[in-house]
Amino acid sequence: MIDMKIDQYHLTSDKYEVKVNRMSLDSHGHPVTSYDEKSGINRLVEVPLAHCKNVEDALRWLRGYLIRTGSERITTMDQLARENKKIEQQFDTYIKERVPEGL
């Protein structure tokens, strides 16, 4: 089961799919939670963005989403390639910081 957070995005999985959600953040950048009385636990306040068949597709979708919704205006293929590479490096850094080597 996948349950990982990348900046304000939250990837979760079940046996059928990987879901990409955007978490609501407070003014300090911490995820906002809401108490679920039925289950008795705090749940993240999230907006669903995508349902993907595997982690690779979820990360590919998220990379495209970040490019489409980013603040930089992309007008050339070189800019697109640089932005794509930058996001891939952010993902790689995030994963390397959290996953033990050799796993």
Side-chain angles (χ1 to χ4, degrees):
M1 182 176 117
I2 295 168
D3 184 3
M4 63 185 228
K5 297 171 184 80
I6 302 174
D7 292 327
Q8 69 179 40
Y9 301 96
H10 186 204
L11 279 66
T12 58
S13 71
D14 57 26
K15 64 182 182 177
Y16 302 108
E17 65 185 352
V18 177
K19 299 173 192 169
V20 181
N21 297 306
R22 186 178 61 236
M23 297 180 289
S24 295
L25 302 177
D26 64 17
S27 60
H28 302 289
H30 298 98
V32 174
T33 59
S34 175
Y35 183 72
D36 182 358
E37 292 184 24
K38 191 177 198 179
S39 64
I41 61 173
N42 283 322
R43 297 194 182 275
L44 294 169
V45 176
E46 301 178 305
V47 174
L49 297 176
H51 297 265
C52 304
K53 63 182 177 183
N54 56 43
V55 177
E56 183 180 351
D57 285 349
L59 291 174
R60 185 180 302 120
W61 184 91
L62 183 55
R63 182 178 60 227
Y65 178 78
L66 293 171
I67 289 170
R68 289 189 309 275
T69 61
S71 59
E72 184 177 338
R73 184 168 186 246
I74 298 172
T75 58
T76 68
M77 288 301 290
D78 287 340
Q79 284 178 299
L80 179 59
R82 280 194 305 272
E83 189 65 20
N84 186 53
K85 185 73 171 169
K86 183 176 94 176
I87 292 169
E88 283 183 4
Q89 289 172 340
Q90 289 172 341
F91 286 172
D92 288 346
T93 299
Y94 176 87
I95 291 167
K96 285 177 185 172
E97 289 173 351
R98 289 163 178 78
V99 176
E101 193 170 322
L103 193 62

